[in-house]
Amino acid sequence: PDDYAAPFVKLVQGSSDEAKGDDVDVVAGQYLSSTGDVFDDMRIAVVHVHKERDYYDSGTEESCRSRDTVLPDASIERPMADTCEECPKKDWINKKRECADVFAVTAVDMDSMTPFKISFKRTSYAPFRGFLGNMASKRLPLFGASVKMASRLKTKGKNTYHVSVFSDYEKIED
């Protein structure tokens, strides 16, 4: 009971169950915390990042996950392969891969000073990778600056979706 589980924050998409439901007053493009809090944007400091892989097929409900991009997670009953290297879902086909690279992030909401977890994958993967590049070019460690995290609507063909965007870098002095 005394273990602390950091809340999980997600960027709500138009196709998300949360955007369609009546339980929470949230719209596509907002961030929703597992605590029920809703944000248009957040000032955050990233304190930890690691890569994972994630696969889910909604048609067959097959799923697999790797927390280290090497081996399937122990919680997966029937992994796609013994290792990620052997998995057929890891292959790139037409600039896509069924098993998505994921940045698993622990950050701090600078307004409430509360830690939370968030994942950046698929369409938000590249913007977060850009954030990491900006931090490196500024020669700042992850926890060396706070940044405003918001979302932007993107369109590709007939699809519209939101991606995370990062701006207003502020160096953390203390």
Side-chain angles (χ1 to χ4, degrees), residues 6-61:
F8 193 84
V9 172
K10 71 180 276 186
L11 175 56
V12 176
Q13 300 292 343
S15 59
S16 299
D17 291 339
E18 294 86 358
K20 296 176 185 175
D22 297 329
D23 294 344
V24 180
D25 189 20
V26 63
V27 296
Q30 291 181 313
Y31 291 92
L32 174 64
S33 172
S34 57
T35 63
D37 294 325
V38 177
F39 307 91
D40 289 325
D41 56 60
M42 302 173 76
R43 175 148 296 279
I44 67 169
V46 175
V47 295
H48 181 263
V49 176
H50 74 270
K51 280 189 171 183
E52 297 182 349
R53 286 201 178 134
D54 190 30
Y55 169 75
Y56 179 73
D57 182 341
S58 60
T60 64
E61 295 193 10

Side-chain angles (χ1 to χ4, degrees), residues 2 7 18 30 32 63 77 82 93 119 125 136 148 166 170:
D2 58 348
E18 294 86 358
Q30 291 181 313
L32 174 64
S63 66
E77 290 181 26
D82 290 337
I93 301 170
S119 293
Y125 186 87
K148 179 180 173 185
F166 304 92
E170 292 181 4

Side-chain angles (χ1 to χ4, degrees), residues 45-172:
V46 175
V47 295
H48 181 263
V49 176
H50 74 270
K51 280 189 171 183
E52 297 182 349
R53 286 201 178 134
D54 190 30
Y55 169 75
Y56 179 73
D57 182 341
S58 60
T60 64
E61 295 193 10
E62 288 180 320
S63 66
C64 194
R65 176 186 194 123
S66 173
R67 296 193 190 274
D68 62 5
T69 71
V70 177
L71 297 171
D73 191 73
S75 66
I76 303 299
E77 290 181 26
R78 291 181 294 161
M80 305 314 262
D82 290 337
T83 68
C84 292
E85 184 61 33
E86 299 169 304
C87 182
K89 304 297 183 185
K90 69 152 175 50
D91 295 330
W92 290 91
I93 301 170
N94 296 327
K95 298 183 181 182
K96 287 186 176 183
R97 180 166 65 193
E98 292 178 277
C99 186
D101 287 325
V102 178
F103 282 115
V105 174
T106 302
V108 174
D109 176 342
M110 297 302 286
D111 292 329
S112 67
M113 296 307 289
T114 316
F116 67 93
K117 294 185 177 202
I118 187 168
S119 293
F120 297 97
K121 60 184 172 183
R122 305 224 183 262
T123 56
S124 283
Y125 186 87
F128 187 77
R129 188 175 59 203
F131 159 78
L132 293 175
N134 282 338
M135 292 293 285
S137 70
K138 296 173 190 308
R139 298 183 188 268
L140 292 168
L142 288 177
F143 50 84
S146 68
V147 63
K148 179 180 173 185
M149 179 178 72
S151 74
R152 178 179 300 140
L153 182 66
K154 301 276 275 186
T155 302
K156 186 173 185 178
K158 294 181 181 180
N159 297 325
T160 59
Y161 53 92
H162 289 83
V163 298
S164 294
V165 292
F166 304 92
S167 63
D168 302 333
Y169 292 72
E170 292 181 4
K171 189 172 182 179
I172 296 175

